[in-house]
């Protein structure tokens, strides 16, 4: 049965849902360790420049494409130009690769949340707590399945009653929690040193190669963080009301997304520096920063358990609104393609998530010796989606908009309600020249320098 096209009920509902999608593990788990790795202030400046130019242009494109065609990502590209119909399935594949492993990490967050809320944060400080947990398939799969089920429940309720409602509740709490925890960290003795490390650029040893790596890392982070090149914003755009401003909404979504990433860095970087007695090397924990280093930091702080519990609630809320958007994108594809209702398509997608997610769970436990091109299964999914599929989708989207349907195709949609497209000049240059060149650089860099 085909259902009537759903839509968000209000402008703020759309913005909070799209910001909810954008603000996720990428902001809290990934951004701080990248900022720490790539020279603090320099990374921040490069990232912000990319958000307002590149990220802005791609997000306007995707939302407009969705709203103009009213279709899921598969239908949208075909509708724009039949010759680009092949791009839809490639873009559609991305959420099918990402959602399962994203929910596995969501399950890890749930485990930490439960541990801290139950007052057992001290347990999480032992060196093998994280390693021990992820290598036990039984436990990890339980948390993963509960997390995926929570995501599916929100999606089953639909765009207005599920996604919009949950975003309207969780997003304000998330902003307040993050500001509250950041203020708490800032008041701890020694926070100034950490703050300096985070915001002041470190030019020592900064070479052209390092600059290139920093730009490429910031670009990768931008895709991830702004939920671009994977059909999410096309899907959410297709639910956006025609009278709302795409340009203004895009600015607000990017602002919130960047703000929360910067605040997450303000929480994590100074606390790790304080904890390690000023040793910046402690920040090089990479992806383990949030799960391994941070619990020790909370343990060492006065009132750290409460801060730790609040922090993992924050992360769980951020992750949930993002996995909801990923699952919704899968659901929009399945329901459009197979003409299924919401409950049936959500069930199909949930099963796919569980089956594929179990591969990632097992990849860290019973099958830990299995690697694909040298990656563990979860890391492999992350690598092919972020480093290969997404830049290809973005590159071809730029070609489609810059040269085939022309930027006017997008501009028409942004000016539908009589407003002017203020950033039109910047947008045209970005879509025709700058974005495609950057995408090619992103795709080629891993062949020349180690990222
Ligand atoms: N933008 C969200 C985040 O930063 O966590 C959700 C997300 C979308 C993550 C797409 C990863 C991804 F590839």
């Amino acid at each position: 049965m085909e259902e009537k096209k759903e839509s968000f009920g209000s402008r703020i509902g759309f913005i909070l849902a799209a910001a909810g999608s954008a603000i996720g593990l990428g902001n809290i788990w990934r951004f701080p360790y990248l900022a720490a790795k790539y020279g603090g202030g320099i990374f921040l400046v490069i990232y912000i420049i990319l958000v307002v130019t590149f990220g802005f242009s791609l997000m306007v494109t995707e939302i407009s494409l969705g709203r103009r065609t009213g279709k899921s990502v598969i239908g949208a590209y075909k509708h724009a130009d039949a010759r680009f119909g092949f791009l839809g399935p490639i873009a559609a594949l991305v959420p099918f690769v990402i959602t399962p492993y994203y929910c596995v990490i969501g399950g890890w967050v749930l485990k930490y949340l439960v541990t801290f809320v139950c007052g057992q944060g001290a347990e999480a400080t032992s060196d093998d707590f994280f390693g021990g947990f992820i290598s036990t398939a039984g436990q990890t799969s339980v948390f993963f399945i509960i997390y995926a089920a929570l995501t599916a429940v929100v999606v089953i309720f639909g765009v207005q009653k599920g996604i919009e409602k949950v975003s309207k509740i969780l997003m304000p709490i998330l902003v307040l929690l993050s500001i509250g925890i950041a203020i708490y960290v800032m008041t701890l003795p020694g926070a100034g040193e950490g703050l300096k490390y985070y915001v002041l650029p470190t030019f020592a040893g900064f070479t052209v190669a390092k600059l290139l790596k920093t730009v490429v890392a910031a670009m990768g982070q931008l895709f991830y963080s702004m939920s671009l090149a994977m059909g999410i914003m096309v899907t959410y755009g297709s639910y956006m009301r025609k009278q709302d401003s795409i340009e203004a909404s895009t600015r607000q979504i990017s602002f919130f997304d960047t703000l929360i990433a910067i605040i997450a860095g303000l929480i994590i970087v100074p606390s790790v520096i304080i904890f390690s007695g000023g040793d910046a090397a402690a920040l090089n924990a990479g992806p383990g920063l949030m799960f391994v280093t941070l619990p020790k930091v909370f343990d060492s702080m006065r009132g750290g358990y409460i801060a730790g519990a609040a922090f993992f609630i924050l992360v769980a809320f951020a992750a949930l609104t993002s996995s909801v958007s990923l699952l919704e994108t899968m659901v929009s594809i399945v329901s459009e393609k197979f003409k299924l209702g919401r409950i049936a398509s959500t069930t199909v997608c949930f099963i796919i998530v569980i089956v594929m997610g179990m591969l990632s769970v097992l990849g860290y436990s019973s099958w830990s010796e299995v690697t694909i091109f040298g990656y563990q299964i979860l890391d492999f999914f992350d690598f092919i989606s972020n480093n290969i599929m997404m830049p290809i989708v973005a590159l071809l989207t730029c070609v489609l908009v810059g040269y085939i349907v022309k930027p006017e195709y997008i501009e028409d949609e942004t000016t539908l309600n009589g407003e002017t497209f203020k950033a039109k000049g910047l947008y045209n240059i970005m879509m025709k020249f700058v974005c495609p060149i950057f995408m090619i650089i992103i795709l080629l860099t891993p062949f020349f320098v180690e990222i």
Side-chain angles (χ1 to χ4, degrees), residues 187-216:
T187 57
L188 296 172
E193 271 314 296
L195 186 63
K196 263 197 227 149
Y197 182 85
Y198 181 48
V199 293
L200 294 183
T202 359
F203 288 108
F206 217 78
T207 56
V208 175
K210 183 135 192 238
L211 180 67
L212 185 64
K213 281 188 195 181
T214 308
V215 174
V216 171

Side-chain angles (χ1 to χ4, degrees), residues 21-22 24-27 98 102 224-225 227 230 232 322 326 386 390:
S21 165
L25 293 168
N27 303 56
I98 293 177
Y102 200 82
Y224 196 102
S225 191
S227 297
M230 66 195 73
I232 294 182
S322 297
L326 281 158
N386 285 291
M390 282 150 64

Side-chain angles (χ1 to χ4, degrees), residues 302-445:
R302 193 171 27 90
Y305 290 136
I306 299 173
F311 178 81
F312 282 105
I313 292 175
L314 164 74
V315 186
F317 284 2
L320 190 68
T321 44
S322 297
S323 50
V324 161
S325 71
L326 281 158
L327 185 64
E328 174 64 26
T329 304
M330 293 172 66
V331 167
S332 77
I333 292 162
V334 169
S335 64
E336 188 179 287
K337 191 92 198 129
F338 301 102
K339 309 261 177 293
L340 290 177
R342 178 165 284 275
I343 297 184
S345 26
T346 310
T347 311
V348 171
C349 294
F350 178 70
I351 294 171
I352 298 175
V353 168
I354 297 298
V355 172
M356 284 187 49
M358 280 314 289
L359 298 180
S360 292
V361 166
L362 293 171
Y364 270 122
S365 48
S366 324
W367 298 349
S368 57
E369 70 293 343
V370 177
T371 53
I372 313 172
F373 298 123
Y375 291 99
Q376 306 246 234
I377 300 175
L378 188 151
D379 303 53
F380 174 72
F381 286 145
D382 185 66
F383 173 77
I384 48 160
S385 50
N386 285 291
N387 297 48
I388 299 176
M389 297 164 85
M390 282 150 64
I392 291 178
V393 172
L395 174 62
L396 292 172
T397 306
C398 295
V399 174
L400 171 69
V401 172
Y403 299 96
I404 311 288
V405 294
K406 303 280 184 315
E408 290 72 36
Y409 184 85
I410 300 299
E411 195 197 332
D412 287 349
E413 189 60 30
T414 60
T415 53
L416 202 63
N417 46 11
E419 62 176 303
T420 41
F421 184 17
K422 296 193 205 71
K424 182 179 167 186
L426 168 84
Y427 180 77
N428 285 357
I429 297 173
M430 290 306 296
M431 293 313 282
K432 285 197 157 136
F433 309 109
V434 186
C435 294
I437 294 171
F438 265 87
M439 290 304 68
I440 294 172
I441 295 177
I442 286 210
L443 280 165
L444 295 183
T445 304

Side-chain angles (χ1 to χ4, degrees), residues 41-278:
I42 300 180
F43 183 85
L44 293 189
V45 172
I46 292 177
Y47 184 77
I48 292 172
I49 294 174
L50 291 176
V51 168
V52 294
T53 51
F54 185 87
F56 168 81
S57 305
L58 272 182
M59 192 180 273
V60 164
T61 303
E62 294 198 11
I63 296 178
S64 305
L65 202 60
R67 194 172 78 173
R68 179 163 180 157
T69 60
K71 301 227 181 286
S72 81
V73 68
I74 293 201
Y77 283 105
K78 191 150 78 199
H79 196 278
D81 189 283
R83 286 165 297 171
F84 272 69
F86 72 94
L87 189 50
I90 304 180
L93 206 57
V94 186
F96 282 83
V97 175
I98 293 177
T99 319
Y101 86 76
Y102 200 82
C103 287
V104 172
I105 304 179
W108 300 352
V109 173
L110 217 51
K111 163 82 179 171
Y112 276 75
L113 169 69
V114 170
T115 309
F116 270 91
V117 169
C118 295
Q120 285 155 355
E123 277 178 25
T125 59
S126 88
D127 270 339
D128 43 33
F129 180 83
F130 182 62
F133 168 63
I134 62 169
S135 58
T136 339
Q139 259 211 72
T140 333
S141 35
V142 170
F143 281 98
F144 156 57
I145 292 169
I146 296 175
Y147 181 88
L150 281 174
T151 306
V153 168
V154 178
V155 171
I156 276 208
F157 276 98
V159 177
Q160 273 191 30
K161 293 205 195 83
I163 303 173
E164 184 167 346
K165 207 169 197 171
V166 166
S167 308
K168 276 183 169 166
I169 301 170
L170 296 192
M171 294 314 286
I173 302 180
L174 185 146
V175 172
L176 291 179
L177 265 180
S178 61
I179 295 175
I181 307 172
I183 292 176
Y184 166 75
V185 171
M186 285 301 125
T187 57
L188 296 172
E193 271 314 296
L195 186 63
K196 263 197 227 149
Y197 182 85
Y198 181 48
V199 293
L200 294 183
T202 359
F203 288 108
F206 217 78
T207 56
V208 175
K210 183 135 192 238
L211 180 67
L212 185 64
K213 281 188 195 181
T214 308
V215 174
V216 171
M219 287 287 256
Q221 172 61 15
L222 183 131
F223 276 125
Y224 196 102
S225 191
M226 293 179 77
S227 297
L228 295 171
M230 66 195 73
I232 294 182
M233 290 300 161
V234 177
T235 310
Y236 275 22
S238 76
Y239 304 145
M240 187 188 189
R241 303 186 313 174
K242 289 281 186 191
Q243 67 265 42
D244 295 335
S245 164
I246 293 180
E247 190 175 8
S249 306
T250 301
R251 291 210 190 284
Q252 284 153 1
I253 300 162
S254 344
F255 171 77
F256 273 128
D257 185 49
T258 310
L259 180 75
I260 299 293
I262 292 176
I263 294 181
L266 278 181
I267 296 174
I268 295 180
V269 177
S271 10
V272 173
I273 298 264
I274 297 170
F275 164 75
S276 60

